[in-house]
PDB file of all heavy atoms in Angstrom:
ATOM      1  N   VAL T 304       0.880  -1.197   0.046  1.00  0.00           N
ATOM      2  CA  VAL T 304      -0.007   0.026  -0.032  1.00  0.00           C
ATOM      3  C   VAL T 304       0.866   1.285   0.001  1.00  0.00           C
ATOM      4  O   VAL T 304       1.855   1.294   0.692  1.00  0.00           O
ATOM      5  CB  VAL T 304      -0.965  -0.004   1.170  1.00  0.00           C
ATOM      6  CG1 VAL T 304      -1.725   1.317   1.308  1.00  0.00           C
ATOM      7  CG2 VAL T 304      -1.895  -1.160   1.166  1.00  0.00           C
ATOM      8  N   ASN T 305       0.502   2.219  -0.826  1.00  0.00           N
ATOM      9  CA  ASN T 305       1.186   3.530  -0.879  1.00  0.00           C
ATOM     10  C   ASN T 305       0.662   4.461   0.121  1.00  0.00           C
ATOM     11  O   ASN T 305      -0.503   4.412   0.504  1.00  0.00           O
ATOM     12  CB  ASN T 305       1.067   4.057  -2.259  1.00  0.00           C
ATOM     13  CG  ASN T 305       1.696   3.202  -3.390  1.00  0.00           C
ATOM     14  OD1 ASN T 305       1.005   2.399  -4.044  1.00  0.00           O
ATOM     15  ND2 ASN T 305       2.979   3.271  -3.533  1.00  0.00           N
ATOM     16  N   GLY T 306       1.485   5.401   0.491  1.00  0.00           N
ATOM     17  CA  GLY T 306       1.081   6.540   1.405  1.00  0.00           C
ATOM     18  C   GLY T 306       0.507   7.582   0.518  1.00  0.00           C
ATOM     19  O   GLY T 306       0.840   7.839  -0.619  1.00  0.00           O
ATOM     20  N   ILE T 307      -0.525   8.301   1.111  1.00  0.00           N
ATOM     21  CA  ILE T 307      -1.223   9.394   0.379  1.00  0.00           C
ATOM     22  C   ILE T 307      -1.367  10.549   1.276  1.00  0.00           C
ATOM     23  O   ILE T 307      -1.681  10.403   2.491  1.00  0.00           O
ATOM     24  CB  ILE T 307      -2.626   8.951  -0.134  1.00  0.00           C
ATOM     25  CG1 ILE T 307      -3.335  10.013  -0.971  1.00  0.00           C
ATOM     26  CG2 ILE T 307      -3.492   8.452   0.936  1.00  0.00           C
ATOM     27  CD1 ILE T 307      -2.838  10.139  -2.366  1.00  0.00           C
ATOM     28  N   GLU T 308      -1.120  11.781   0.776  1.00  0.00           N
ATOM     29  CA  GLU T 308      -1.321  13.018   1.496  1.00  0.00           C
ATOM     30  C   GLU T 308      -2.017  13.967   0.483  1.00  0.00           C
ATOM     31  O   GLU T 308      -1.590  14.096  -0.650  1.00  0.00           O
ATOM     32  CB  GLU T 308      -0.046  13.622   1.951  1.00  0.00           C
ATOM     33  CG  GLU T 308       0.771  12.774   2.834  1.00  0.00           C
ATOM     34  CD  GLU T 308       2.139  13.411   3.092  1.00  0.00           C
ATOM     35  OE1 GLU T 308       2.228  14.566   3.574  1.00  0.00           O
ATOM     36  OE2 GLU T 308       3.123  12.741   2.640  1.00  0.00           O
ATOM     37  N   PHE T 309      -3.012  14.655   0.926  1.00  0.00           N
ATOM     38  CA  PHE T 309      -3.603  15.739   0.125  1.00  0.00           C
ATOM     39  C   PHE T 309      -3.266  17.037   0.760  1.00  0.00           C
ATOM     40  O   PHE T 309      -3.124  17.115   2.017  1.00  0.00           O
ATOM     41  CB  PHE T 309      -5.126  15.617   0.033  1.00  0.00           C
ATOM     42  CG  PHE T 309      -5.589  14.408  -0.836  1.00  0.00           C
ATOM     43  CD1 PHE T 309      -5.874  13.206  -0.217  1.00  0.00           C
ATOM     44  CD2 PHE T 309      -5.706  14.525  -2.202  1.00  0.00           C
ATOM     45  CE1 PHE T 309      -6.336  12.099  -1.014  1.00  0.00           C
ATOM     46  CE2 PHE T 309      -6.091  13.459  -2.917  1.00  0.00           C
ATOM     47  CZ  PHE T 309      -6.370  12.292  -2.361  1.00  0.00           C
ATOM     48  N   PHE T 310      -3.066  18.043  -0.017  1.00  0.00           N
ATOM     49  CA  PHE T 310      -2.730  19.365   0.557  1.00  0.00           C
ATOM     50  C   PHE T 310      -3.342  20.453  -0.391  1.00  0.00           C
ATOM     51  O   PHE T 310      -3.703  20.209  -1.550  1.00  0.00           O
ATOM     52  CB  PHE T 310      -1.278  19.696   0.745  1.00  0.00           C
ATOM     53  CG  PHE T 310      -0.418  19.502  -0.478  1.00  0.00           C
ATOM     54  CD1 PHE T 310      -0.178  20.583  -1.331  1.00  0.00           C
ATOM     55  CD2 PHE T 310       0.086  18.227  -0.850  1.00  0.00           C
ATOM     56  CE1 PHE T 310       0.588  20.396  -2.485  1.00  0.00           C
ATOM     57  CE2 PHE T 310       0.915  18.057  -1.981  1.00  0.00           C
ATOM     58  CZ  PHE T 310       1.132  19.202  -2.758  1.00  0.00           C
ATOM     59  N   GLN T 311      -3.547  21.602   0.203  1.00  0.00           N
ATOM     60  CA  GLN T 311      -4.107  22.730  -0.542  1.00  0.00           C
ATOM     61  C   GLN T 311      -3.118  23.890  -0.472  1.00  0.00           C
ATOM     62  O   GLN T 311      -2.468  24.059   0.578  1.00  0.00           O
ATOM     63  CB  GLN T 311      -5.428  23.150   0.038  1.00  0.00           C
ATOM     64  CG  GLN T 311      -6.569  22.198  -0.208  1.00  0.00           C
ATOM     65  CD  GLN T 311      -7.920  22.757   0.344  1.00  0.00           C
ATOM     66  OE1 GLN T 311      -7.963  23.718   1.058  1.00  0.00           O
ATOM     67  NE2 GLN T 311      -8.863  21.947   0.058  1.00  0.00           N
ATOM     68  N   TYR T 312      -3.000  24.689  -1.497  1.00  0.00           N
ATOM     69  CA  TYR T 312      -2.231  25.847  -1.497  1.00  0.00           C
ATOM     70  C   TYR T 312      -2.816  26.870  -2.470  1.00  0.00           C
ATOM     71  O   TYR T 312      -3.603  26.512  -3.305  1.00  0.00           O
ATOM     72  CB  TYR T 312      -0.732  25.519  -1.919  1.00  0.00           C
ATOM     73  CG  TYR T 312      -0.608  24.941  -3.309  1.00  0.00           C
ATOM     74  CD1 TYR T 312      -0.279  25.729  -4.475  1.00  0.00           C
ATOM     75  CD2 TYR T 312      -0.748  23.589  -3.581  1.00  0.00           C
ATOM     76  CE1 TYR T 312      -0.151  25.171  -5.709  1.00  0.00           C
ATOM     77  CE2 TYR T 312      -0.630  23.010  -4.826  1.00  0.00           C
ATOM     78  CZ  TYR T 312      -0.300  23.797  -5.841  1.00  0.00           C
ATOM     79  OH  TYR T 312      -0.168  23.247  -7.133  1.00  0.00           O
ATOM     80  N   PRO T 313      -2.383  28.131  -2.285  1.00  0.00           N
ATOM     81  CA  PRO T 313      -3.077  29.110  -3.106  1.00  0.00           C
ATOM     82  C   PRO T 313      -2.400  29.202  -4.531  1.00  0.00           C
ATOM     83  O   PRO T 313      -1.155  29.135  -4.612  1.00  0.00           O
ATOM     84  CB  PRO T 313      -2.835  30.486  -2.392  1.00  0.00           C
ATOM     85  CG  PRO T 313      -1.602  30.155  -1.521  1.00  0.00           C
ATOM     86  CD  PRO T 313      -1.658  28.694  -1.246  1.00  0.00           C
ATOM     87  N   PRO T 314      -3.176  29.230  -5.564  1.00  0.00           N
ATOM     88  CA  PRO T 314      -2.604  29.327  -6.939  1.00  0.00           C
ATOM     89  C   PRO T 314      -2.238  30.804  -7.178  1.00  0.00           C
ATOM     90  O   PRO T 314      -2.433  31.660  -6.312  1.00  0.00           O
ATOM     91  CB  PRO T 314      -3.754  28.902  -7.916  1.00  0.00           C
ATOM     92  CG  PRO T 314      -4.986  29.321  -7.110  1.00  0.00           C
ATOM     93  CD  PRO T 314      -4.673  29.109  -5.649  1.00  0.00           C
ATOM     94  N   GLN T 315      -1.808  31.055  -8.331  1.00  0.00           N
ATOM     95  CA  GLN T 315      -1.486  32.492  -8.688  1.00  0.00           C
ATOM     96  C   GLN T 315      -2.709  33.322  -8.712  1.00  0.00           C
ATOM     97  O   GLN T 315      -2.665  34.467  -8.429  1.00  0.00           O
ATOM     98  CB  GLN T 315      -0.722  32.569 -10.017  1.00  0.00           C
ATOM     99  CG  GLN T 315       0.627  31.888  -9.887  1.00  0.00           C
ATOM    100  CD  GLN T 315       1.447  31.988 -11.153  1.00  0.00           C
ATOM    101  OE1 GLN T 315       1.080  32.725 -12.125  1.00  0.00           O
ATOM    102  NE2 GLN T 315       2.585  31.399 -11.184  1.00  0.00           N
ATOM    103  N   ASP T 316      -3.844  32.762  -9.039  1.00  0.00           N
ATOM    104  CA  ASP T 316      -5.124  33.500  -8.939  1.00  0.00           C
ATOM    105  C   ASP T 316      -6.269  32.409  -8.847  1.00  0.00           C
ATOM    106  O   ASP T 316      -6.084  31.344  -9.232  1.00  0.00           O
ATOM    107  CB  ASP T 316      -5.362  34.411 -10.087  1.00  0.00           C
ATOM    108  CG  ASP T 316      -5.240  33.693 -11.433  1.00  0.00           C
ATOM    109  OD1 ASP T 316      -5.156  32.473 -11.465  1.00  0.00           O
ATOM    110  OD2 ASP T 316      -5.225  34.376 -12.417  1.00  0.00           O
ATOM    111  N   GLY T 317      -7.381  32.804  -8.238  1.00  0.00           N
ATOM    112  CA  GLY T 317      -8.499  31.886  -8.098  1.00  0.00           C
ATOM    113  C   GLY T 317      -8.545  31.225  -6.776  1.00  0.00           C
ATOM    114  O   GLY T 317      -7.889  31.634  -5.747  1.00  0.00           O
ATOM    115  N   GLY T 318      -9.364  30.147  -6.630  1.00  0.00           N
ATOM    116  CA  GLY T 318      -9.568  29.378  -5.441  1.00  0.00           C
ATOM    117  C   GLY T 318      -8.499  28.446  -5.071  1.00  0.00           C
ATOM    118  O   GLY T 318      -7.473  28.349  -5.831  1.00  0.00           O
ATOM    119  N   PRO T 319      -8.582  27.737  -4.046  1.00  0.00           N
ATOM    120  CA  PRO T 319      -7.465  26.857  -3.564  1.00  0.00           C
ATOM    121  C   PRO T 319      -7.234  25.747  -4.625  1.00  0.00           C
ATOM    122  O   PRO T 319      -8.112  25.359  -5.325  1.00  0.00           O
ATOM    123  CB  PRO T 319      -8.032  26.261  -2.284  1.00  0.00           C
ATOM    124  CG  PRO T 319      -9.461  26.380  -2.284  1.00  0.00           C
ATOM    125  CD  PRO T 319      -9.779  27.572  -3.151  1.00  0.00           C
ATOM    126  N   VAL T 320      -5.976  25.232  -4.631  1.00  0.00           N
ATOM    127  CA  VAL T 320      -5.499  24.227  -5.470  1.00  0.00           C
ATOM    128  C   VAL T 320      -5.232  22.984  -4.587  1.00  0.00           C
ATOM    129  O   VAL T 320      -4.619  23.122  -3.564  1.00  0.00           O
ATOM    130  CB  VAL T 320      -4.319  24.633  -6.317  1.00  0.00           C
ATOM    131  CG1 VAL T 320      -3.718  23.436  -7.080  1.00  0.00           C
ATOM    132  CG2 VAL T 320      -4.648  25.761  -7.235  1.00  0.00           C
ATOM    133  N   TRP T 321      -5.625  21.826  -5.091  1.00  0.00           N
ATOM    134  CA  TRP T 321      -5.379  20.573  -4.347  1.00  0.00           C
ATOM    135  C   TRP T 321      -4.085  19.971  -4.934  1.00  0.00           C
ATOM    136  O   TRP T 321      -4.020  19.763  -6.150  1.00  0.00           O
ATOM    137  CB  TRP T 321      -6.532  19.613  -4.559  1.00  0.00           C
ATOM    138  CG  TRP T 321      -7.729  19.917  -3.681  1.00  0.00           C
ATOM    139  CD1 TRP T 321      -8.665  20.955  -3.980  1.00  0.00           C
ATOM    140  CD2 TRP T 321      -8.100  19.267  -2.502  1.00  0.00           C
ATOM    141  NE1 TRP T 321      -9.628  20.909  -2.985  1.00  0.00           N
ATOM    142  CE2 TRP T 321      -9.313  19.923  -2.083  1.00  0.00           C
ATOM    143  CE3 TRP T 321      -7.586  18.274  -1.734  1.00  0.00           C
ATOM    144  CZ2 TRP T 321      -9.958  19.539  -0.908  1.00  0.00           C
ATOM    145  CZ3 TRP T 321      -8.267  17.883  -0.615  1.00  0.00           C
ATOM    146  CH2 TRP T 321      -9.455  18.561  -0.252  1.00  0.00           C
ATOM    147  N   GLY T 322      -3.161  19.567  -4.078  1.00  0.00           N
ATOM    148  CA  GLY T 322      -2.029  18.855  -4.481  1.00  0.00           C
ATOM    149  C   GLY T 322      -2.022  17.467  -3.794  1.00  0.00           C
ATOM    150  O   GLY T 322      -2.836  17.246  -2.849  1.00  0.00           O
ATOM    151  N   VAL T 323      -1.183  16.620  -4.249  1.00  0.00           N
ATOM    152  CA  VAL T 323      -1.116  15.251  -3.791  1.00  0.00           C
ATOM    153  C   VAL T 323       0.358  14.772  -3.614  1.00  0.00           C
ATOM    154  O   VAL T 323       1.186  15.095  -4.443  1.00  0.00           O
ATOM    155  CB  VAL T 323      -1.755  14.269  -4.730  1.00  0.00           C
ATOM    156  CG1 VAL T 323      -1.734  12.840  -4.210  1.00  0.00           C
ATOM    157  CG2 VAL T 323      -3.179  14.679  -5.125  1.00  0.00           C
ATOM    158  N   ARG T 324       0.597  14.157  -2.492  1.00  0.00           N
ATOM    159  CA  ARG T 324       1.849  13.466  -2.305  1.00  0.00           C
ATOM    160  C   ARG T 324       1.623  11.996  -2.210  1.00  0.00           C
ATOM    161  O   ARG T 324       0.804  11.548  -1.507  1.00  0.00           O
ATOM    162  CB  ARG T 324       2.562  13.915  -1.020  1.00  0.00           C
ATOM    163  CG  ARG T 324       3.127  15.289  -1.073  1.00  0.00           C
ATOM    164  CD  ARG T 324       3.880  15.629   0.207  1.00  0.00           C
ATOM    165  NE  ARG T 324       4.043  17.018   0.391  1.00  0.00           N
ATOM    166  CZ  ARG T 324       3.381  17.829   1.183  1.00  0.00           C
ATOM    167  NH1 ARG T 324       2.473  17.325   2.005  1.00  0.00           N
ATOM    168  NH2 ARG T 324       3.603  19.091   1.285  1.00  0.00           N
ATOM    169  N   VAL T 325       2.381  11.267  -3.007  1.00  0.00           N
ATOM    170  CA  VAL T 325       2.320   9.755  -3.004  1.00  0.00           C
ATOM    171  C   VAL T 325       3.702   9.303  -2.378  1.00  0.00           C
ATOM    172  O   VAL T 325       4.732   9.686  -2.895  1.00  0.00           O
ATOM    173  CB  VAL T 325       2.059   9.187  -4.460  1.00  0.00           C
ATOM    174  CG1 VAL T 325       2.160   7.647  -4.372  1.00  0.00           C
ATOM    175  CG2 VAL T 325       0.787   9.689  -4.991  1.00  0.00           C
ATOM    176  N   ASP T 326       3.616   8.596  -1.304  1.00  0.00           N
ATOM    177  CA  ASP T 326       4.767   8.125  -0.620  1.00  0.00           C
ATOM    178  C   ASP T 326       5.715   9.253  -0.275  1.00  0.00           C
ATOM    179  O   ASP T 326       6.974   9.154  -0.379  1.00  0.00           O
ATOM    180  CB  ASP T 326       5.548   7.042  -1.440  1.00  0.00           C
ATOM    181  CG  ASP T 326       4.715   5.761  -1.594  1.00  0.00           C
ATOM    182  OD1 ASP T 326       3.876   5.462  -0.689  1.00  0.00           O
ATOM    183  OD2 ASP T 326       4.881   5.080  -2.592  1.00  0.00           O
ATOM    184  N   GLY T 327       5.166  10.365   0.048  1.00  0.00           N
ATOM    185  CA  GLY T 327       5.890  11.621   0.543  1.00  0.00           C
ATOM    186  C   GLY T 327       6.407  12.457  -0.570  1.00  0.00           C
ATOM    187  O   GLY T 327       7.053  13.494  -0.317  1.00  0.00           O
ATOM    188  N   THR T 328       6.151  12.130  -1.827  1.00  0.00           N
ATOM    189  CA  THR T 328       6.701  12.911  -2.990  1.00  0.00           C
ATOM    190  C   THR T 328       5.519  13.485  -3.763  1.00  0.00           C
ATOM    191  O   THR T 328       4.547  12.765  -4.067  1.00  0.00           O
ATOM    192  CB  THR T 328       7.522  11.999  -3.915  1.00  0.00           C
ATOM    193  OG1 THR T 328       8.620  11.537  -3.120  1.00  0.00           O
ATOM    194  CG2 THR T 328       8.061  12.794  -5.085  1.00  0.00           C
ATOM    195  N   ASP T 329       5.657  14.773  -4.117  1.00  0.00           N
ATOM    196  CA  ASP T 329       4.626  15.424  -4.854  1.00  0.00           C
ATOM    197  C   ASP T 329       4.308  14.697  -6.144  1.00  0.00           C
ATOM    198  O   ASP T 329       5.278  14.290  -6.823  1.00  0.00           O
ATOM    199  CB  ASP T 329       5.081  16.909  -5.173  1.00  0.00           C
ATOM    200  CG  ASP T 329       3.985  17.834  -5.605  1.00  0.00           C
ATOM    201  OD1 ASP T 329       3.318  17.487  -6.627  1.00  0.00           O
ATOM    202  OD2 ASP T 329       3.853  18.896  -5.011  1.00  0.00           O
ATOM    203  N   LEU T 330       3.087  14.507  -6.498  1.00  0.00           N
ATOM    204  CA  LEU T 330       2.681  13.742  -7.669  1.00  0.00           C
ATOM    205  C   LEU T 330       3.243  14.463  -8.914  1.00  0.00           C
ATOM    206  O   LEU T 330       3.602  13.799  -9.935  1.00  0.00           O
ATOM    207  CB  LEU T 330       1.147  13.659  -7.789  1.00  0.00           C
ATOM    208  CG  LEU T 330       0.635  12.847  -8.988  1.00  0.00           C
ATOM    209  CD1 LEU T 330       1.158  11.484  -8.952  1.00  0.00           C
ATOM    210  CD2 LEU T 330      -0.919  12.856  -8.940  1.00  0.00           C
ATOM    211  N   ARG T 331       3.384  15.773  -8.864  1.00  0.00           N
ATOM    212  CA  ARG T 331       4.059  16.519 -10.022  1.00  0.00           C
ATOM    213  C   ARG T 331       5.465  16.043 -10.236  1.00  0.00           C
ATOM    214  O   ARG T 331       5.920  15.967 -11.369  1.00  0.00           O
ATOM    215  CB  ARG T 331       3.966  17.969  -9.787  1.00  0.00           C
ATOM    216  CG  ARG T 331       2.501  18.515  -9.818  1.00  0.00           C
ATOM    217  CD  ARG T 331       2.408  19.961  -9.376  1.00  0.00           C
ATOM    218  NE  ARG T 331       2.692  20.123  -8.039  1.00  0.00           N
ATOM    219  CZ  ARG T 331       2.927  21.292  -7.471  1.00  0.00           C
ATOM    220  NH1 ARG T 331       2.815  22.440  -8.045  1.00  0.00           N
ATOM    221  NH2 ARG T 331       3.252  21.395  -6.148  1.00  0.00           N
ATOM    222  N   ALA T 332       6.158  15.753  -9.166  1.00  0.00           N
ATOM    223  CA  ALA T 332       7.576  15.261  -9.243  1.00  0.00           C
ATOM    224  C   ALA T 332       7.651  13.844  -9.920  1.00  0.00           C
ATOM    225  O   ALA T 332       8.374  13.579 -10.817  1.00  0.00           O
ATOM    226  CB  ALA T 332       8.299  15.237  -7.881  1.00  0.00           C
ATOM    227  N   HIS T 333       6.720  12.956  -9.370  1.00  0.00           N
ATOM    228  CA  HIS T 333       6.577  11.663 -10.007  1.00  0.00           C
ATOM    229  C   HIS T 333       6.328  11.760 -11.532  1.00  0.00           C
ATOM    230  O   HIS T 333       6.901  11.072 -12.331  1.00  0.00           O
ATOM    231  CB  HIS T 333       5.405  10.817  -9.415  1.00  0.00           C
ATOM    232  CG  HIS T 333       5.672  10.355  -7.993  1.00  0.00           C
ATOM    233  ND1 HIS T 333       6.646   9.389  -7.669  1.00  0.00           N
ATOM    234  CD2 HIS T 333       5.155  10.682  -6.797  1.00  0.00           C
ATOM    235  CE1 HIS T 333       6.660   9.165  -6.372  1.00  0.00           C
ATOM    236  NE2 HIS T 333       5.740   9.877  -5.837  1.00  0.00           N
ATOM    237  N   THR T 334       5.397  12.658 -11.858  1.00  0.00           N
ATOM    238  CA  THR T 334       5.033  12.858 -13.254  1.00  0.00           C
ATOM    239  C   THR T 334       6.153  13.389 -14.037  1.00  0.00           C
ATOM    240  O   THR T 334       6.332  12.994 -15.207  1.00  0.00           O
ATOM    241  CB  THR T 334       3.777  13.761 -13.351  1.00  0.00           C
ATOM    242  OG1 THR T 334       2.712  13.188 -12.586  1.00  0.00           O
ATOM    243  CG2 THR T 334       3.262  13.975 -14.743  1.00  0.00           C
ATOM    244  N   ALA T 335       6.896  14.399 -13.551  1.00  0.00           N
ATOM    245  CA  ALA T 335       8.068  14.985 -14.314  1.00  0.00           C
ATOM    246  C   ALA T 335       9.040  13.881 -14.674  1.00  0.00           C
ATOM    247  O   ALA T 335       9.481  13.782 -15.834  1.00  0.00           O
ATOM    248  CB  ALA T 335       8.678  16.084 -13.532  1.00  0.00           C
TER     249      ALA T 335
END
């Protein structure tokens, strides 16, 4: 089983943005 964390942060404009960490690493890093 993998670890999961959700987080929110402010984007450059607009409402909150949801981010995800899988096993402690941002999903954007895994994707890159």
